[in-house]
Amino acid sequence: MPITAIPKGVELRKITAVQKRALDELIAKERGSSALTTAILVGIPSIIAGSAVLAYVFKEEAQAWYADKKGEFIEAIQEAAEKTGGGLVNAVLDTANKVFQNNPKTPKVVNGSELTRCTRWAVDATDVLALVQNNPKISKETVAAAVAIIGIAKEMKREGCSRPSAISQAQWDQA
């Protein structure tokens, strides 16, 4: 019969082989699981709770950062669209429009009168058309403007606006 130390009170006793196996299994389970279990049960909820607190505390800063980066993201998409070509342009613009709600660049109030969203989109389209007409050579700006016109037309259609004169029927149909 083997002799072993029983953990509680540490007394030496003669035990049977079956008791020794049971005791060895118990000790192995306690050793392996105690530190790991504690780390999992305490660590993961602490990380989640800490992240939630940080998100709440820095909510305004995160919203300001998001607002700043939104324009850069749209510009990066337009540059990628210029480099890759037509079919991908629509897919990229659709994705960008789903990720970021687009708003017209024209302000809501002009000379004391409030403009509707459709009117603001139409003014944006006219501004983009003027940019293209002032730069007759194909350049980075004119390609970006063409992509912007399609984006404006898609937004106008989504909001139920009628086609402005700055957007051709072909561009309107393409959007």
Side-chain angles (χ1 to χ4, degrees):
M1 255 191 213
I3 297 176
T4 189
I6 309 286
K8 287 197 175 177
V10 189
E11 60 182 275
L12 293 175
R13 253 199 247 179
K14 284 185 178 181
I15 59 171
T16 66
V18 173
Q19 289 173 324
K20 179 168 180 8
R21 271 193 310 240
L23 188 59
D24 288 343
E25 287 176 14
L26 176 68
I27 290 171
K29 284 181 183 175
E30 286 181 359
R31 267 193 218 135
S33 66
S34 66
L36 179 61
T37 303
T38 302
I40 290 172
L41 292 176
V42 174
I44 292 175
S46 298
I47 291 170
I48 292 170
S51 299
V53 167
L54 285 174
Y56 180 76
V57 169
F58 296 107
K59 178 174 57 175
E60 288 82 18
E61 288 85 353
Q63 288 172 341
W65 177 84
Y66 173 76
D68 289 343
K69 297 298 178 186
K70 183 168 75 169
E72 293 175 20
F73 181 73
I74 297 295
E75 288 176 13
I77 287 176
Q78 287 177 339
E79 285 182 26
E82 291 173 23
K83 293 176 184 174
T84 56
L88 187 59
V89 170
N90 290 332
V92 169
L93 280 175
D94 288 342
T95 303
N97 288 336
K98 287 176 187 169
V99 172
F100 300 109
Q101 283 289 335
N102 281 337
N103 286 312
K105 291 182 181 179
T106 304
K108 208 174 204 177
V109 178
V110 176
N111 296 331
S113 61
E114 191 169 329
L115 302 176
T116 65
R117 285 184 62 83
C118 290
T119 304
R120 291 168 58 201
W121 282 119
V123 171
D124 287 355
T126 305
D127 291 345
V128 170
L129 181 63
L131 175 74
V132 171
Q133 289 173 343
N134 290 336
N135 295 319
K137 293 181 182 177
I138 294 179
S139 67
K140 192 176 186 181
E141 289 79 19
T142 55
V143 173
V147 170
I149 284 282
I150 299 299
I152 290 170
K154 283 185 180 187
E155 285 297 315
M156 290 183 78
K157 277 185 165 182
R158 189 177 61 80
E159 293 182 17
C161 302
S162 58
R163 180 183 66 85
S165 60
I167 298 177
S168 71
Q169 187 63 49
Q171 291 168 327
W172 187 257
D173 292 341
Q174 184 182 357

